[in-house]
Amino acid sequence: MSSLNWYQNNYVIVLVFLILGILLPIVALFLGKLLRPHKPIHAKYTTYESGNEPFGDARVQFNVRYYMFALMFVIFSVETIFLYPWAVAYKKLGVFALVEMLVFVVMLVIGLVYAWKKKVLRWT
Amino acid sequence: MSGEYIVFLFLSLVAVSSGTLMLISKKVMHMMVALIFTFISISGIYILLSAEFIAAVQVMVYSGAVAIIMIFGIMLTNHHDSSRNKAPLIRRLLVGISIILFSISMYVGISHLKISLAEVALHENNTEKIGIALFSDYVIPFEIASLVLLVALVGAIVIAKNDNVEGGNQ
């Protein structure tokens, strides 16, 4: 068996896992709908809020600070992605790659320091 | 018909149909779920192309990080308006004609495209090959990518922080 076939057959397991992951909630919810009694009263439809009376709308406008954290998460996850091939190929690349990666990381550390100085990382 | 072809058909069907679903659904969260399905099926197509690392990046960055940032963007805006205003007929007609022209020209452009295939076993040590190529031949684009990320970070901070100062003065 060629290595390409071996590679593709490995992903059959991933495919099976993915299909199971998609089917499981669908089947579980559908079976639950079949089995449970259906007696709706008004109190059952109120939102459960740990015993408190729910007030207001659930879809409120969130603070813009959350967005800053999400954005920094995206940027640093992209940085992490670049670290992976560097780490895997490091033995074949040598010291020059270390310098390149240092330049790359320092660039983003500058951004992090800027965010820190601008008090983005602080909540209040 | 090989199994690879069937899987490709399935994945492209999921990608295209959830893209369409994203366009026609009325609730923004449903659009997000459809978009995530598109991203994941595209990563499956990458796996068919023996680009394992790109597929992992697609799952991590697009259906992870970008989806989260889009959900945050939805949560930050008011989105109670689920009605849509219909564009005038002449504009819809023009848009339809341009879509048809675009797809015809893309089809003509792509159908006779010949990409010279290099016989490389991409599926063996995929990540290591990308690393060697990135850090020996494509150093400058790599460093420019860091600069672009820095600019995005600083620009977003500048824009969002200004809003915060105005909000704090209320």
Side-chain angles (χ1 to χ4, degrees), chain B residues 74-94:
Chain B
I74 291 165
M75 281 155 71
L76 287 169
T77 48
N78 282 319
H79 48 86
H80 296 285
D81 187 24
S82 61
S83 66
R84 3 187 97 185
N85 33 358
K86 278 201 167 176
L89 184 71
I90 182 83
R91 196 206 288 176
R92 276 190 285 168
L93 219 67
L94 280 175

Side-chain angles (χ1 to χ4, degrees), chain B:
Chain B
M1 205 153 61
S2 62
E4 195 184 340
Y5 187 65
I6 295 169
V7 172
F8 172 75
L9 276 185
F10 174 73
L11 284 173
S12 50
L13 183 74
V14 170
V16 171
S17 56
S18 44
T20 319
L21 204 67
M22 187 198 83
L23 290 175
I24 61 172
S25 62
K26 287 220 167 86
K27 290 182 176 159
V28 267
M29 279 300 174
H30 295 181
M31 289 180 196
M32 271 317 299
V33 174
L35 192 63
I36 289 168
F37 265 93
T38 314
F39 286 153
I40 287 176
S41 46
I42 286 172
S43 87
I45 291 174
Y46 282 138
I47 284 170
L48 283 185
L49 292 170
S50 307
E52 253 180 323
F53 181 72
I54 305 292
V57 169
Q58 172 85 8
V59 171
M60 262 181 86
V61 172
Y62 280 89
S63 53
V66 170
I68 281 177
I69 209 167
M70 280 176 151
I71 288 170
F72 270 94
I74 291 165
M75 281 155 71
L76 287 169
T77 48
N78 282 319
H79 48 86
H80 296 285
D81 187 24
S82 61
S83 66
R84 3 187 97 185
N85 33 358
K86 278 201 167 176
L89 184 71
I90 182 83
R91 196 206 288 176
R92 276 190 285 168
L93 219 67
L94 280 175
V95 168
I97 290 169
S98 47
I99 287 170
I100 291 167
L101 283 179
F102 176 76
S103 45
I104 290 171
S105 57
M106 282 305 280
Y107 179 74
V108 169
I110 288 173
S111 58
H112 295 296
L113 190 66
K114 282 271 188 295
I115 300 171
S116 54
L117 288 172
E119 282 296 323
V120 189
L122 274 175
H123 50 91
E124 286 167 358
N125 295 332
N126 186 259
T127 314
E128 192 182 86
K129 274 175 191 155
I130 286 174
I132 288 169
L134 194 64
F135 291 97
S136 50
D137 298 342
Y138 300 98
V139 182
I140 300 296
F142 170 70
E143 299 297 353
I144 288 173
S146 80
L147 211 65
V148 169
L149 286 173
L150 181 69
V151 167
L153 184 61
V154 171
I157 289 168
V158 167
I159 292 168
K161 257 322 207 195
N162 277 347
D163 283 351
N164 263 1
V165 169
E166 283 163 25
N169 287 342
Q170 277 175 0

Side-chain angles (χ1 to χ4, degrees), chain A residues 71-113:
Chain A
L71 197 102
M72 285 169 66
F73 165 63
V74 170
I75 282 167
F76 287 107
S77 83
V78 172
E79 185 196 347
T80 322
I81 295 277
F82 277 111
L83 282 171
Y84 276 108
W86 173 75
V88 172
Y90 183 72
K91 274 198 171 173
K92 295 191 178 174
L93 288 166
V95 185
F96 186 56
L98 182 70
V99 177
E100 286 165 33
M101 189 42 91
L102 271 179
V103 173
F104 181 75
V105 171
V106 163
M107 285 282 196
L108 284 162
V109 167
I110 291 170
L112 187 65
V113 168

